Amino acid sequence: METLDELPTLDEVVTRWAELNGCTQPGETVAPSGLLERTWSDCEADSRVRMLLTSDGDHGWPTGPDAQVDASAEIVEFVASSSR
């Protein structure tokens, strides 16, 4: 079993998903709230890979009026906008 020190970083995991989807370099933006968005949209088969990273990110699920982003709403939007 892997220890926490052996687990891949978030960047490594998301980059691997982008590689598996045949994506090239991501676009990156930082919102005024400090939310970092990295999106790969130039992927094979019209796929997309998207990462949102909060600057206040403890390890909880970001939602509610004080969160930089509503993670649940973002996931629903991402899935709903994806074509099959």
Side-chain angles (χ1 to χ4, degrees):
M1 183 162 165
E2 296 177 333
T3 66
L4 289 179
D5 292 336
E6 296 169 336
L7 294 175
T9 65
L10 175 62
D11 276 337
E12 291 169 339
V13 170
V14 176
T15 298
R16 182 67 180 138
W17 275 111
E19 290 170 356
L20 290 169
N21 282 287
C23 307
T24 58
Q25 291 295 327
E28 191 167 289
T29 57
V30 178
S33 66
L35 183 69
L36 169 70
E37 177 178 3
R38 190 174 297 155
T39 304
W40 291 259
S41 55
D42 54 346
C43 308
E44 295 173 0
D46 293 325
S47 60
R48 292 183 303 144
V49 176
R50 183 172 178 227
M51 177 188 77
L52 296 174
L53 184 63
T54 61
S55 61
D56 66 352
D58 58 15
H59 207 72
W61 189 256
T63 191
D66 296 330
Q68 284 180 295
V69 63
D70 182 337
S72 299
E74 289 291 336
I75 290 171
V76 168
E77 186 277 325
F78 182 83
V79 172
S81 70
S82 298
S83 62
R84 290 188 164 236

